[in-house]
Amino acid sequence: MQTKFSRKELERLNCSEEEILLVINYQKRFPIILDSEDNIEKFCIDARDLYKEIIQSEDTSNFSRWIKRAIKNYGFTEIADFSTISPIGRIGNKSAIAQGGDIKSTTYTLSVDMSKQLAMIDKKESGFIARKYFILMENIVTKNKEWLAVRDPEKEEYKKMSAEVDAWCFRLWHHHASRSEYAVEADMLNTIVTGKTSQQLKSEYGVASNDLIRDYLKKSIMKNYCSWSNRIRYYYLWIWDSQNVKICLLKCMR
């Protein structure tokens, strides 16, 4: 799955403005591909695109010589460091159905580690910047996976809390919770965790109208949302009187 990180996602991962601009610019040329577990795919960088970036030209007439020399001189090996698709449809040691092309059209797909090393070979500033991008993306993918490990459980806790609010409304007033009633509880949760109302958070983070506030928040804050969603859910499970629920929640906010 090809992944491009938005400014919002990079900000919540504590990236600096310089890092954000580098990622937004370079991920258009070298999109990172993630697997089903949100890890970087082993081979995801097109060697021809990397070559063009390093030499700062669209001329790839010397690409075949360059990549073969690099593989030989630096001991890169197929399967471990890169994969190839030949113009006749050979993928590594397996044949596929394809026609046409010449040796120069062989596609080399590189690992991030090999890409970092190739970027340094010609000692050009463009290569150094590309290498910096690859290293940064490895860190970002790791931090994003850690963020998701907190956000996903928080989503489940919030769903449970919302279900309990709905059941509580039905027990007391014999109707399901309305959108406004859910909004009141969400606002209460935001205030307990951050000390700010939903509207204040939307203004601070520039939350789009259809986005969720918690998709903009950092991991440390998300952990508190998860624990408080669980706590509030039990208030609604065991306390029948609406005033007592509010009293309990207000005490939490102090």
Side-chain angles (χ1 to χ4, degrees):
M1 176 181 66
Q2 182 172 310
T3 297
K4 291 185 179 179
F5 289 91
S6 66
R7 171 175 283 274
K8 173 190 73 176
E9 292 169 323
L10 296 170
E11 286 176 345
R12 77 185 180 205
L13 297 175
N14 290 317
C15 292
S16 66
E17 182 63 20
E18 179 184 356
E19 291 171 334
I20 291 172
L21 293 177
L22 177 62
V23 170
I24 290 176
N25 184 25
Y26 270 74
Q27 67 182 353
K28 297 175 183 177
R29 301 173 233 181
F30 305 112
I32 294 298
I33 301 174
L34 302 183
D35 61 21
S36 59
E37 297 182 353
D38 296 308
N39 297 310
I40 297 177
E41 286 279 7
K42 185 172 179 61
F43 305 119
C44 63
I45 306 299
D46 188 296
R48 198 176 298 270
D49 288 339
L50 178 58
Y51 174 75
K52 290 189 290 185
E53 179 63 28
I54 292 172
I55 67 171
Q56 293 289 286
S57 172
E58 293 295 313
D59 181 7
T60 59
S61 56
N62 289 322
F63 167 73
S64 180
R65 187 182 301 110
W66 177 82
I67 189 67
K68 288 179 180 178
R69 183 175 65 245
I71 291 171
K72 180 180 179 181
N73 292 346
Y74 293 90
F76 296 120
T77 58
E78 191 164 5
I79 299 177
D81 301 302
F82 64 92
S83 66
T84 61
I85 301 178
S86 74
I88 59 172
R90 183 173 294 277
I91 305 174
N93 294 320
K94 298 179 181 180
S95 296
I97 299 173
Q99 294 181 349
D102 55 35
I103 191 63
K104 291 183 180 179
S105 65
T106 297
T107 298
Y108 292 81
T109 308
L110 316 177
S111 68
V112 173
D113 281 341
M114 181 174 175
S115 300
K116 289 188 293 187
Q117 294 181 63
L118 285 183
M120 300 291 289
I121 288 176
D122 295 322
K123 295 182 171 58
K124 294 186 177 183
E125 183 179 4
S126 55
F128 295 153
I129 295 174
R131 179 177 181 273
K132 183 178 180 181
Y133 163 75
F134 294 137
I135 293 173
L136 179 58
M137 285 305 298
E138 286 180 312
N139 292 333
I140 286 172
V141 167
T142 297
K143 289 196 291 185
N144 188 61
K145 189 173 181 179
E146 292 172 352
W147 185 88
L148 290 172
V150 175
R151 177 69 172 111
D152 290 342
E154 187 278 331
K155 285 182 180 178
E156 292 305 312
E157 286 299 330
Y158 189 83
K159 287 179 182 177
K160 292 176 183 178
M161 185 193 77
S162 297
E164 204 54 57
V165 169
D166 181 61
W168 181 76
C169 287
F170 199 81
R171 286 198 304 269
L172 266 66
W173 301 305
H174 307 291
H175 71 75
H176 292 289
S178 65
R179 184 174 180 178
S180 61
E181 286 167 323
Y182 285 129
V184 167
E185 305 314 317
D187 193 58
M188 187 77 73
L189 178 60
N190 287 329
T191 306
I192 290 172
V193 175
T194 69
K196 299 174 183 178
T197 65
S198 299
Q199 193 56 48
Q200 288 173 325
L201 289 171
K202 286 181 179 180
S203 177
E204 178 180 343
Y205 289 97
V207 179
S209 58
N210 293 326
D211 286 352
L212 298 174
I213 292 173
R214 291 179 296 285
D215 284 338
Y216 287 72
L217 302 178
K218 294 178 174 60
K219 183 179 69 173
S220 57
I221 301 176
M222 291 304 308
K223 289 181 178 179
N224 291 331
Y225 270 94
C226 192
S227 61
W228 274 110
S229 293
N230 184 34
R231 189 177 301 184
I232 292 171
R233 175 165 65 94
Y234 279 102
Y235 284 150
Y236 280 100
L237 180 62
W238 297 109
I239 302 175
W240 281 58
D241 180 75
S242 60
Q243 188 61 34
N244 286 333
V245 171
K246 297 303 178 186
I247 290 172
C248 291
L249 294 178
L250 287 170
K251 285 182 179 179
C252 294
M253 294 167 61
R254 292 173 184 169

